[in-house]
Amino acid sequence: MSSRRYDNPPPYSLSSSEANPLIGTRRPSRRHQSSCVFAALIAFFVVAFTVVNLCISLSEDPLDPDVRERIRKEWNIELRRHEEEVLKRIDIKKHWLLEDNDRIRSREQWRTEVKEHERELEERRKHEEEERLRLNMFWTDLASHTCTTYATREYTARLVNVPSYYNRRVEACMATPVEIRGVEYTPKWCEDHGPNNVVGHWEVDQHEPDCASYWNWYKDFGCVSPGSGQRRIEHYLENLPSGADWKEFCATTPASFNGMHFMGSEICFQWNGGTYGHWVFDDDNCK
């Protein structure tokens, strides 16, 4: 067997790795470029941060004359502001003290005037009392009138022995008591019709049984409406004085029921010549 000879070598392929040059320029990859840019940015920011901090440190250095001068000016401004605020507070305090002193003086003056006025009134009252007793003024023609309100009757009388020159007749009338049913009362008001015609008026609310009306015929009308929580009650008014104001007596005659007390009726009305009182009050049984 004869050996095979290769007179010509096989063709050289350009795709082989051996065709790549070992030394020479080569275009960097994109990943490599991004890494370089990022590293450069980091280096730039580090340098910038260092420079800024250095500038700030230099600008705040207390040994720097410019910094010390700037701090001194700021202190002076704050000091002036503080002094102005202190002066303002001192002025306000002085103003308050002046106002307090004025109020104290006004209060003391008012108290002095009140005491002086009370003293003058007391002296005048004593003088009038002495003069009234000296002149011997007294009441006559005491008369009872109609009942004005619950258990209260009006009385009148005429003050006599009043001199014609006496110019304080109303004051003398108001200061002169009269005895009614064993009790002394001073007038509620007076009418001056001349020296011999001074009339006093009394409203006596004691020992007047003829003027004492009362409630009778208690009637429970039940709940005002379902779920209202309120109940309606009516009473009939007894012993209403003849000629008296039925509305006044209905509103002033006391009533007590269901453990409650009322000074008079809440609503008053008349029906068939009778006077009725009407009450509406809270009741849990109506809820």
Side-chain angles (χ1 to χ4, degrees):
M1 173 185 245
S2 60
S3 62
R4 181 180 295 182
R5 294 183 59 184
Y6 295 93
D7 294 331
N8 295 318
Y12 191 82
S13 177
L14 294 176
S15 62
S16 174
S17 61
E18 295 180 358
N20 295 332
L22 297 176
I23 301 174
T25 60
R26 184 180 181 183
R27 187 177 182 180
S29 64
R30 293 185 177 180
R31 179 178 300 176
H32 182 70
Q33 290 178 351
S34 300
S35 299
C36 292
V37 171
F38 181 72
L41 289 175
I42 291 177
F44 173 77
F45 283 118
V46 169
V47 172
F49 180 77
T50 303
V51 171
V52 171
N53 283 339
L54 180 60
C55 294
I56 293 174
S57 299
L58 292 176
S59 64
E60 297 296 334
D61 185 5
L63 298 179
D64 187 354
D66 294 336
V67 174
R68 296 177 65 180
E69 182 64 22
R70 178 173 57 82
I71 294 175
R72 186 180 297 108
K73 290 181 179 179
E74 292 177 354
W75 284 355
N76 289 334
I77 293 174
E78 291 295 328
L79 180 60
R80 285 195 297 270
R81 289 179 180 175
H82 178 71
E83 290 175 348
E84 291 175 357
E85 186 67 23
V86 170
L87 292 175
K88 185 184 295 184
R89 291 179 180 272
I90 291 175
D91 291 339
I92 293 175
K93 186 175 181 180
K94 289 181 179 179
H95 183 68
W96 286 352
L97 290 175
L98 291 175
E99 290 183 348
D100 288 340
N101 292 333
D102 290 340
R103 282 194 292 268
I104 292 173
R105 285 194 297 268
S106 298
R107 189 181 299 113
E108 294 297 329
Q109 183 179 0
W110 177 78
R111 289 178 178 175
T112 302
E113 292 177 353
V114 169
K115 291 180 179 179
E116 182 66 21
H117 180 66
E118 291 177 349
R119 185 185 63 80
E120 292 177 355
L121 289 178
E122 182 63 20
E123 290 180 355
R124 181 178 176 181
R125 188 192 65 79
K126 290 180 178 180
H127 177 72
E128 291 177 352
E129 180 70 12
E130 292 173 357
E131 189 174 12
R132 182 179 61 82
L133 294 175
R134 180 176 59 82
L135 295 173
N136 194 26
M137 299 180 192
F138 60 93
W139 295 106
T140 187
D141 301 333
L142 179 65
S144 62
H145 299 276
T146 185
C147 300
T148 57
T149 187
Y150 171 74
T152 304
R153 185 184 298 276
E154 181 184 6
Y155 287 82
T156 60
R158 186 167 56 90
L159 189 65
V160 296
N161 205 25
V162 182
S164 59
Y165 64 85
Y166 195 76
N167 59 0
R168 293 189 297 274
R169 292 186 288 268
V170 173
E171 290 86 343
C173 171
M174 295 296 294
T176 305
V178 70
E179 183 177 322
I180 302 175
R181 299 184 184 275
V183 181
E184 286 191 344
Y185 301 92
T186 53
K188 188 173 183 179
W189 76 93
C190 294
E191 296 177 297
D192 184 5
H193 301 289
N196 295 318
N197 195 12
V198 179
V199 179
H201 294 260
W202 291 262
E203 287 187 354
V204 179
D205 58 358
Q206 295 178 343
H207 311 295
E208 298 295 338
D210 294 341
C211 297
S213 52
Y214 59 92
W215 297 103
N216 199 0
W217 298 3
Y218 172 90
K219 189 173 183 180
D220 185 352
F221 281 85
C223 301
V224 174
S225 61
S228 64
Q230 291 184 319
R231 183 175 298 276
R232 184 165 63 96
I233 297 294
E234 283 186 2
H235 275 287
Y236 177 77
L237 187 63
E238 292 276 10
N239 199 36
L240 180 65
S242 177
D245 185 354
W246 65 271
K247 293 182 181 179
E248 176 68 21
F249 275 80
C250 178
T252 59
T253 301
S256 296
F257 52 85
N258 288 2
M260 298 177 292
H261 183 74
F262 301 88
M263 296 305 298
S265 177
E266 297 176 352
I267 301 174
C268 299
F269 63 94
Q270 282 193 320
W271 185 72
N272 285 342
T275 302
Y276 295 83
H278 180 105
W279 289 263
V280 174
F281 56 91
D282 295 335
D283 190 343
D284 292 338
N285 295 324
C286 293
K287 292 183 179 180

